[in-house]
Amino acid sequence: MTEVESSERLVHVPLGDRAYDILIGRGLIARAGGEISTRIKGRKAAIITDEHVGPLYLDALMDSLQTDGIEAVSLSLPAGEKTKSFEHLMRVCDVLLEARIERNDAVIALGGGVIGDLTGFAAGIVRRGVRFVQIPTSLLAQVDSSVGGKTGINTRQGKNLVGVFYQPDLVLADTAVLSSLSKREFRAGYAEVVKYGLIDKPDFFEWLERNWEGVFAGGEARAEAIATSCRAKAEVVAADERELGRRALLNLGHTFGHALEAATGYDSKRLVHGEGVAIGMVLAHQFSARLNLASPDDAERVAAHLKAVGLPMAMGDIEGELPPTDILMEAIAQDKKVKGGKLTFILTHGIGQSFVADDVAASEVFSFLQEKHPG
Amino acid sequence: MTEVESSERLVHVPLGDRAYDILIGRGLIARAGGEISTRIKGRKAAIITDEHVGPLYLDALMDSLQTDGIEAVSLSLPAGEKTKSFEHLMRVCDVLLEARIERNDAVIALGGGVIGDLTGFAAGIVRRGVRFVQIPTSLLAQVDSSVGGKTGINTRQGKNLVGVFYQPDLVLADTAVLSSLSKREFRAGYAEVVKYGLIDKPDFFEWLERNWEGVFAGGEARAEAIATSCRAKAEVVAADERELGRRALLNLGHTFGHALEAATGYDSKRLVHGEGVAIGMVLAHQFSARLNLASPDDAERVAAHLKAVGLPMAMGDIEGELPPTDILMEAIAQDKKVKGGKLTFILTHGIGQSFVADDVAASEVFSFLQEKHPG
Ligand SMILES: NC(=O)c1ccc[n+]([C@@H]2O[C@H](COP(=O)([O-])OP(=O)(O)OC[C@H]3O[C@@H](n4cnc5c(N)ncnc54)[C@H](O)[C@@H]3O)[C@@H](O)[C@H]2O)c1
Ligand SMILES: NC(=O)c1ccc[n+]([C@@H]2O[C@H](COP(=O)([O-])OP(=O)(O)OC[C@H]3O[C@@H](n4cnc5c(N)ncnc54)[C@H](O)[C@@H]3O)[C@@H](O)[C@H]2O)c1
Ligand SMILES: [Zn+2]
Ligand SMILES: [Zn+2]
């Protein structure tokens, strides 16, 4: 008990009247009722989860809420990206309204980024906004999707095209639940942790190089890495809540990454998001080196670290054939708007020195990719 | 042309970085392109309208946009409250995404409150928010629904239960289009105009008593009444954008009104919203008199004015049977949460002296209704 509390971390996200706390530590689900009831007036809650996470943690959460006098209903949805749809949004709204969730009651997302994004959207639109609590259970959700207030669903036109900015009232990142996450999902989330170091925290990157085994093992190092990541994202978000400028840095590695996700047909057997980001970050460093902005040694160092933890770090690490360069290029052009042959890209002067460049020649990207392309 | 401009009015809604202008005058649709292109960067637009309004005004709007270099697509939906549904929301989002409407492009609502509420919601969630222009074409939409940023749809649980607060970038209230509105719809909207006088503008109520014929006829008096109404609503909204306190005053007459709408099965042949509000406002004044808060003369004066313009002003004016008092009471309890036998109600000390009372005994409401009940 004492041990649990001593290892707990609090990250405050300073967003004026939308400010909130992120608590990080082991065993937080068992204490959720207490943490929620001191912050939220209503005594009703609805928990949205998925079929992988629900069986593992829903009962513990329900018990904790009940102990603190919060009456809760729950809904378990299919796991996976397809759940971020209008159809499931309607279902969640229906459940919240049937449960008579009011403005001061809590809607709780218990799951990974899929459940968080969908549930946050529903919480933002039912009665034009009810209280919202994130209990992220994947590493990616703990360090990325649960922080920053972006919510949404996918449509046939693309990912995350419909949604709202809606900040939670509380985030509870229970680091113990990550033990049931598959190794591959954990590693994919870890790529986003590395990203924060590469954006503007060279010391954190170095710390990860030395401590990554501890992060993977759990315990102190894991909580520390998650807290540092949340703090990093919170900083960027606080500076640019609605993504008009600086927040773009969070896309480091993502332009190449998204193109690779598209190129592999979003087939998670071949590539999951974090793996695409890992390869994308290496490419961003190599591309910056090619443009004489950074030393090639930095790209090497990034690649070496990702390889050490078991992440892919080059296009050649992806199983199966990749489409030719011009198809990859098309995917990049779709992700970023091309204006007069110029693209906006996150480039770097070296580890921890990323920046937004809005005048990258599409032709440069093309010849770089051609060179790197395994086929 | 000079005449048009001299009679034009501008109401500024002061909401910080969400501030915007409402322009009120004849012929604004023909000038929409110019007004929009000076305020919005994008050069694409999507117009959402309904099958009554589209055939009358869509071409003029498209022409005007084209003249000012804005490329527009349009979608016409069925007229009526049923259109405020998830199904139509999905359809609007799909059209906006297919048209590749981006953050700085405009989504334009051309129609009454139904189209405004639905379109505003879609504009607020597509790409987490794109530019939004209201061109309200019913009197109710010009004086009420297009001001204040409430958007939304209905679900099987009730009206307006899902939506967002989303402020438009511009409102163009073309007073000339009201000439094609049915007399009954015009009168229903007029009830909301009267409401602003009764809330806190006794001079405006007096002005309406003297000038209502001019308002119904069109021209200067109409534009003046609309501008005063917009200003009144904008004031309340600016003081309380997210409806935490004072904004509740806008519900004057609405608790009784909603109960009557429910009691008539939302059958617009028997009662439309504004008619319910008209009767509700008289009841609110009578109830206040019964509680010794206001003089019965004020209730008489309100009833007399509503009668003069052709609005119903008593439950007996509704065609067909009304359900017994306990059923009406149930509808009221559903509209307002009852806490320990107490209701929140908008009461008044007299014309233009409304206030929020949060301790009205349900039993008092019941015996009052019993007395007024025609059956
Ligand atoms: N809102 C944002 O700012 C933001 C940022 C990044 C990503 N995202 C979104 O996040 C989503 C990806 O998130 P994700 O990787 O968490 O995906 P996910 O929610 O699909 O979770 C991945 C898998 O792990 C399972 N899982 C989660 N926690 C578990 C646990 N503790 N034990 C066992 N299994 C567990 C899930 O059931 C799922 O099968 C994408 O939809 C992406 O668009 C959003
Ligand atoms: N957002 C808010 O703050 C707010 C406030 C009040 C009401 N509302 C909503 O507004 C809606 C009611 O608005 P409404 O009364 O405008 O309903 P509406 O949009 O259904 O319009 C009423 C009828 O008039 C027709 N019409 C509109 N303009 C016309 C014109 N110029 N010529 C001919 N026909 C025309 C419409 O096609 C429709 O048949 C309700 O859904 C209500 O919930 C919203
Ligand atoms: Zn990512
Ligand atoms: Zn009304």
Side-chain angles (χ1 to χ4, degrees):
Chain A
M1 185 65 187
T2 328
E3 198 197 35
V4 168
E5 283 178 352
S6 78
S7 74
E8 225 168 86
R9 281 148 179 91
L10 186 148
V11 175
H12 184 73
V13 188
L15 287 170
D17 59 355
R18 289 181 306 290
Y20 60 94
D21 290 334
I22 304 173
L23 297 184
I24 300 150
R26 298 181 72 83
L28 280 169
I29 286 183
R31 279 183 23 222
E35 298 297 343
I36 293 171
S37 63
T38 58
R39 287 176 177 85
I40 291 177
K41 270 190 274 172
R43 282 299 160 262
K44 267 192 198 165
I47 305 164
I48 314 299
T49 188
D50 76 20
E51 64 199 0
H52 293 158
V53 177
L56 297 171
Y57 308 110
L58 182 58
D59 283 351
L61 178 56
M62 292 284 256
D63 285 352
S64 169
L65 293 172
Q66 197 173 30
T67 304
D68 282 277
I70 300 172
E71 183 197 327
V73 299
S74 71
L75 171 68
S76 180
L77 298 173
E81 190 67 31
K82 285 219 170 72
T83 294
K84 275 174 61 174
S85 68
F86 255 121
E87 185 200 331
H88 285 102
L89 178 71
M90 282 166 66
R91 207 163 145 213
V92 174
C93 289
D94 191 56
V95 165
L96 301 186
L97 290 168
E98 280 300 300
R100 295 181 161 271
I101 295 293
E102 307 256 355
R103 208 187 257 184
N104 290 317
D105 294 324
V107 173
I108 304 175
L110 175 69
V114 164
I115 291 298
D117 281 10
L118 174 74
T119 306
F121 189 14
I125 63 177
V126 161
R127 297 180 188 278
R128 299 197 189 91
V130 297
R131 303 285 60 81
F132 176 43
V133 175
Q134 291 260 27
I135 306 188
T137 63
S138 70
L139 180 58
L140 182 134
Q142 295 191 352
V143 300
D144 190 353
S145 64
S146 71
V147 186
K150 278 196 189 177
T151 74
I153 56 174
N154 308 322
T155 71
R156 65 191 179 98
Q157 290 88 3
K159 277 194 64 172
N160 302 320
L161 287 175
V162 175
V164 289
F165 284 95
Y166 198 66
Q167 302 294 345
D169 294 274
L170 174 66
V171 180
L172 297 175
D174 187 333
T175 53
V177 305
L178 300 181
S179 59
S180 57
L181 195 66
S182 77
K183 193 83 186 280
R184 188 171 176 207
E185 290 287 356
F186 189 91
R187 273 196 298 253
Y190 184 80
E192 308 277 2
V193 173
V194 171
K195 184 184 74 177
Y196 297 115
L198 297 179
I199 290 174
D200 61 358
K201 301 203 161 23
D203 295 351
F204 180 48
F205 181 74
E206 217 182 292
W207 183 89
L208 288 171
E209 287 180 313
R210 281 183 280 111
N211 294 284
W212 69 267
E213 286 178 297
V215 176
F216 276 68
E220 275 302 297
R222 177 183 290 177
E224 184 58 27
I226 293 173
T228 303
S229 299
C230 288
R231 225 173 281 125
K233 181 154 183 187
E235 256 169 43
V236 177
V237 168
D240 181 18
E241 187 178 359
R242 299 186 77 90
E243 198 167 30
L244 304 168
R246 196 180 151 197
R247 192 160 173 168
L249 287 175
L250 296 173
N251 290 327
L252 175 64
H254 280 62
T255 300
F256 288 124
H258 286 156
L260 294 171
E261 283 183 87
T264 49
Y266 297 96
D267 175 356
S268 62
K269 282 181 213 108
R270 293 180 68 194
L271 194 77
V272 299
H273 174 76
E275 293 168 347
V277 171
I279 301 172
M281 291 189 300
V282 175
L283 289 171
H285 279 74
Q286 290 172 336
F287 184 49
S288 298
R290 185 190 156 98
L291 296 174
N292 288 317
L293 295 164
S295 152
D297 296 351
D298 286 325
E300 286 296 324
R301 204 174 137 197
V302 174
H305 179 54
L306 297 172
K307 190 175 174 157
V309 309
L311 277 163
M313 45 80 179
M315 287 193 270
D317 292 342
I318 301 172
E319 267 187 56
E321 287 272 304
L322 282 180
T325 306
D326 52 336
I327 304 282
L328 284 178
M329 212 42 221
E330 241 174 60
I332 286 180
Q334 255 182 11
D335 193 59
K336 300 276 148 205
K337 256 214 298 230
V338 187
K339 274 192 200 139
K342 303 281 186 182
L343 292 166
T344 297
F345 236 93
I346 313 304
L347 297 178
T348 186
H349 292 302
I351 284 165
Q353 300 176 61
S354 298
F355 65 98
V356 184
D358 58 6
D359 57 351
V360 175
S363 57
E364 286 275 7
V365 180
F366 186 86
S367 41
F368 167 71
L369 277 179
Q370 190 103 1
E371 188 187 301
K372 290 288 158 195
H373 198 288
Chain B
M1 183 67 186
T2 328
E3 198 196 38
V4 167
E5 284 179 350
S6 78
S7 75
E8 225 167 84
R9 281 149 179 91
L10 186 149
V11 175
H12 183 73
V13 187
L15 287 170
D17 60 355
R18 292 181 303 289
Y20 60 93
D21 289 335
I22 305 172
L23 297 184
I24 300 149
R26 297 181 74 83
L28 280 169
I29 287 183
R31 280 189 16 228
E35 299 296 344
I36 292 171
S37 63
T38 58
R39 286 176 177 84
I40 291 177
K41 272 189 274 172
R43 281 299 161 266
K44 267 190 198 168
I47 306 165
I48 314 298
T49 187
D50 77 20
E51 66 199 359
H52 294 157
V53 177
L56 297 169
Y57 308 110
L58 182 58
D59 283 351
L61 177 57
M62 292 283 257
D63 285 353
S64 169
L65 293 173
Q66 197 171 31
T67 305
D68 283 277
I70 300 172
E71 183 197 328
V73 298
S74 71
L75 171 68
S76 180
L77 296 174
E81 190 68 30
K82 285 217 171 73
T83 295
K84 277 174 60 174
S85 68
F86 256 119
E87 184 199 332
H88 285 101
L89 178 72
M90 283 166 65
R91 206 164 145 212
V92 174
C93 289
D94 190 57
V95 166
L96 302 185
L97 289 168
E98 281 301 301
R100 293 181 163 271
I101 296 293
E102 307 255 357
R103 210 186 253 183
N104 290 317
D105 295 323
V107 173
I108 304 175
L110 175 68
V114 164
I115 291 298
D117 281 11
L118 175 74
T119 306
F121 188 14
I125 63 177
V126 161
R127 297 178 187 280
R128 300 199 186 90
V130 297
R131 305 284 60 82
F132 176 43
V133 176
Q134 290 260 27
I135 306 189
T137 62
S138 69
L139 180 57
L140 182 132
Q142 294 191 352
V143 301
D144 189 353
S145 63
S146 70
V147 186
K150 278 196 191 178
T151 74
I153 56 174
N154 308 322
T155 71
R156 66 193 178 96
Q157 290 88 4
K159 278 194 63 172
N160 302 319
L161 286 176
V162 175
V164 289
F165 284 95
Y166 198 66
Q167 302 294 346
D169 294 274
L170 174 66
V171 180
L172 297 175
D174 187 332
T175 55
V177 305
L178 299 181
S179 59
S180 56
L181 195 66
S182 77
K183 192 83 186 276
R184 190 173 174 205
E185 290 287 356
F186 189 91
R187 274 197 298 252
Y190 184 79
E192 307 277 1
V193 173
V194 170
K195 184 182 75 176
Y196 296 115
L198 296 179
I199 290 174
D200 61 359
K201 302 205 160 19
D203 295 352
F204 181 48
F205 180 75
E206 217 182 293
W207 184 89
L208 288 171
E209 287 180 313
R210 279 182 282 111
N211 294 285
W212 69 269
E213 285 177 297
V215 176
F216 277 68
E220 275 303 296
R222 178 183 289 178
E224 184 59 27
I226 294 172
T228 303
S229 299
C230 289
R231 225 173 282 125
K233 183 156 182 188
E235 256 169 44
V236 177
V237 169
D240 180 19
E241 188 179 358
R242 299 187 77 91
E243 196 168 27
L244 303 168
R246 193 179 151 199
R247 191 160 173 170
L249 287 174
L250 296 173
N251 290 327
L252 174 64
H254 279 62
T255 300
F256 287 123
H258 286 156
L260 294 171
E261 282 182 87
T264 49
Y266 297 96
D267 175 356
S268 63
K269 282 181 212 105
R270 291 180 69 193
L271 194 76
V272 297
H273 174 75
E275 293 168 347
V277 171
I279 301 172
M281 291 190 299
V282 175
L283 289 172
H285 280 75
Q286 290 172 335
F287 184 49
S288 298
R290 186 191 155 100
L291 297 173
N292 287 318
L293 295 165
S295 152
D297 295 352
D298 286 326
E300 286 296 323
R301 207 175 134 194
V302 174
H305 179 55
L306 296 173
K307 190 174 175 159
V309 310
L311 277 164
M313 46 77 178
M315 288 193 268
D317 292 341
I318 301 172
E319 266 187 57
E321 286 272 304
L322 281 181
T325 306
D326 51 337
I327 302 280
L328 284 178
M329 215 36 225
E330 243 173 60
I332 286 179
Q334 255 182 11
D335 192 59
K336 298 277 148 207
K337 257 215 301 233
V338 187
K339 275 192 198 138
K342 304 282 186 182
L343 292 166
T344 297
F345 236 93
I346 314 304
L347 296 178
T348 187
H349 293 301
I351 283 164
Q353 299 176 64
S354 298
F355 65 97
V356 184
D358 58 6
D359 58 350
V360 175
S363 57
E364 286 275 8
V365 180
F366 185 87
S367 43
F368 167 71
L369 277 180
Q370 190 103 3
E371 188 187 302
K372 290 289 157 190
H373 199 289

